[in-house]
Amino acid sequence: MWLKLEARPEASRRMRYLSPLLAVVLTLLSGVLLFAALGQNPWFGVRAFFLAPLSDLYGLTELLLKATPLMLISMGLAVGFRAGVWNIGAEGQFILGAVFATAIALQVGDASAAWALPAMVLAGAIGGGLWAAIPAWLRTRFGTNEILVSLMLVYVAQLMASWLVYGPWKDPNGYNFPQTRTFGDSALLPILIEGTRLHAGFILALFVLLAGYVFLQLSLQGFQMQVGGQAPDAARYAGFSSKRSIWLGLLAGGALAGIAGMTEVAGPMGQLTAQVSAGYGFAAIIVAFVGRLHPLGIFGASLLMALFFLGGEHAQQELNLPSSISKVFQGILLFFLLASDLFIAYRLRWDNTSWRALPWIRR
């Protein structure tokens, strides 16, 4: 081998921030090859996937609309990830938040109630938080792996939501579709721009990012959680509570995922259906790491991931490709991010020994 990986004396700060940018560039280049492999004109494919969704005001607002739940979920996950708490079940917490918020909306019905939306936000946070409390309790009480527990609970949440919309909450006037009644006006988030679907949840997401920055960067508890995640031995020596960090990390992720579920049913959907989540909970994991667990980075990464969702829809309409191509781009982005992150702790060096060992060099 002429090139070899060599451990850096210390992690590269520059590469830590260049790695996501490199991953994005490589993902775009891979997209060109992917469209060519699918028998599509690469330029038309790139235009349909990355440019067409942003060609007008409605497209731009749709980008912000889809980025809203990603911002909320990713910010919650970042709190836990910084503390070394691996919440992989945000998808289930998203669904439970939507279910709890729907319970309030169905009780309100068509009545005028100013308290409905605040109550739904609170209910969404409680629903997601309770679902996240299960792996938190099992981890702190029995030492179970929160990755497996939180992930398995996703499927329980999906089945619970399906049972509700096929059973007790099914709309009797819904032509037998698995969905609840449409929410009344009091239970719907106000629209920010007339003629679009962008709602007040986007403002809430921006506020959450700001609050997340204050908590992670400026608060003592945020500092304790970061120390606990990066140097557990030092945290224990300093007297920081690891159990508190586990509970706080999982509850923050669950509550914000639940609020994201609330914004989805009270926003573009206007009701609870069996397909309440478009995979936001899993996509938000990639967003959190592409954004380097920083609120500003999460904002940019959420826009990029939202573009993947929109691009998949446009590629389906214009190129007759399956909408799941957006998940292919998500996977490619994650692959290149992990590959690029390797160079934070390692670097490529030219191996002169291997070069000189070649037979024709020795002669």
Side-chain angles (χ1 to χ4, degrees):
M1 295 291 293
W2 296 352
L3 293 173
K4 68 175 183 179
L5 281 174
E6 179 182 82
R8 296 180 185 270
E10 60 182 20
S12 171
R13 184 178 179 86
R14 177 185 301 176
M15 195 61 202
R16 176 175 173 80
Y17 294 103
L18 287 179
S19 175
L21 298 178
L22 179 61
V24 170
V25 171
L26 292 174
T27 299
L28 295 178
L29 294 177
S30 297
V32 173
L33 299 177
L34 176 62
F35 286 122
L38 292 173
Q40 302 288 339
N41 183 306
W43 165 245
F44 289 154
V46 170
R47 183 185 61 81
F49 196 93
F50 295 104
L51 301 179
L54 308 179
S55 58
D56 54 22
L57 175 62
Y58 186 83
L60 291 173
T61 57
E62 284 293 297
L63 181 75
L64 299 180
L65 176 71
K66 290 190 177 296
T68 295
L70 292 171
M71 292 180 200
L72 290 167
I73 302 172
S74 300
M75 191 65 253
L77 293 179
V79 174
F81 290 166
R82 285 209 179 194
V85 180
W86 305 106
N87 179 9
I88 309 299
E91 183 84 354
Q93 295 145 24
F94 176 97
I95 294 172
L96 258 291
V99 167
F100 273 55
T102 298
I104 301 293
L106 294 180
Q107 288 297 318
V108 173
D110 295 326
S112 178
W115 54 268
L117 283 175
M120 289 172 67
V121 172
L122 180 61
I126 292 174
L130 287 176
W131 213 239
I134 299 174
W137 181 74
L138 291 174
R139 165 75 186 274
T140 55
R141 182 67 176 84
F142 300 105
T144 57
N145 189 311
E146 74 274 14
I147 296 176
L148 296 177
V149 176
S150 62
L151 180 60
M152 289 188 293
L153 285 173
V154 171
Y155 305 103
V156 180
Q158 290 173 341
L159 291 172
M160 184 183 299
S162 293
W163 172 71
L164 288 170
V165 297
Y166 277 99
W169 285 359
K170 187 175 182 179
D171 183 5
N173 300 316
Y175 301 100
N176 210 34
F177 286 102
Q179 61 190 28
T180 65
R181 298 193 307 272
T182 303
F183 294 175
D185 292 340
S186 297
L188 294 175
L189 289 164
I191 297 298
L192 295 180
I193 300 177
E194 195 66 32
T196 72
R197 300 195 302 166
L198 184 63
H199 53 70
F202 175 68
I203 303 299
L204 176 61
L206 294 180
F207 175 78
V208 166
L209 290 179
L210 178 61
Y213 175 82
V214 172
F215 175 77
L216 291 176
Q217 304 296 329
L218 304 178
S219 73
L220 176 60
Q221 183 62 49
F223 171 74
Q224 291 177 351
M225 293 187 69
Q226 292 185 62
V227 172
Q230 298 173 9
D233 294 336
R236 283 192 294 270
Y237 180 78
F240 298 163
S241 173
S242 60
K243 288 187 177 181
R244 181 189 302 169
S245 295
I246 291 170
W247 273 100
L248 185 56
L250 281 166
L251 289 181
L256 288 179
I259 292 175
M262 175 270 168
T263 63
E264 193 68 7
V265 294
M269 296 184 68
Q271 60 186 166
L272 179 68
T273 70
Q275 291 77 36
V276 61
S277 177
Y280 290 127
F282 293 122
I285 299 173
I286 304 176
V287 170
F289 283 107
V290 172
R292 283 296 177 256
L293 308 183
H294 189 282
L296 185 59
I298 286 173
F299 175 79
S302 296
L303 295 178
L304 175 64
M305 190 62 68
L307 180 58
F308 286 175
F309 281 105
L310 287 178
E313 296 173 0
H314 275 261
Q316 183 180 27
Q317 297 170 4
E318 297 187 18
L319 304 176
N320 292 321
L321 294 176
S323 61
S324 57
I325 192 173
S326 64
K327 291 183 172 60
V328 175
F329 275 95
Q330 293 176 24
I332 293 174
L333 177 62
L334 179 60
F335 172 81
F336 281 124
L337 178 67
L338 295 175
S340 301
D341 279 354
L342 176 67
F343 297 100
I344 297 175
Y346 293 88
R347 59 187 173 190
L348 283 175
R349 292 296 298 271
W350 185 265
D351 189 355
N352 291 325
T353 304
S354 299
W355 174 264
R356 292 169 183 167
L358 294 173
W360 60 274
I361 290 293
R362 290 202 303 267
R363 288 197 295 266

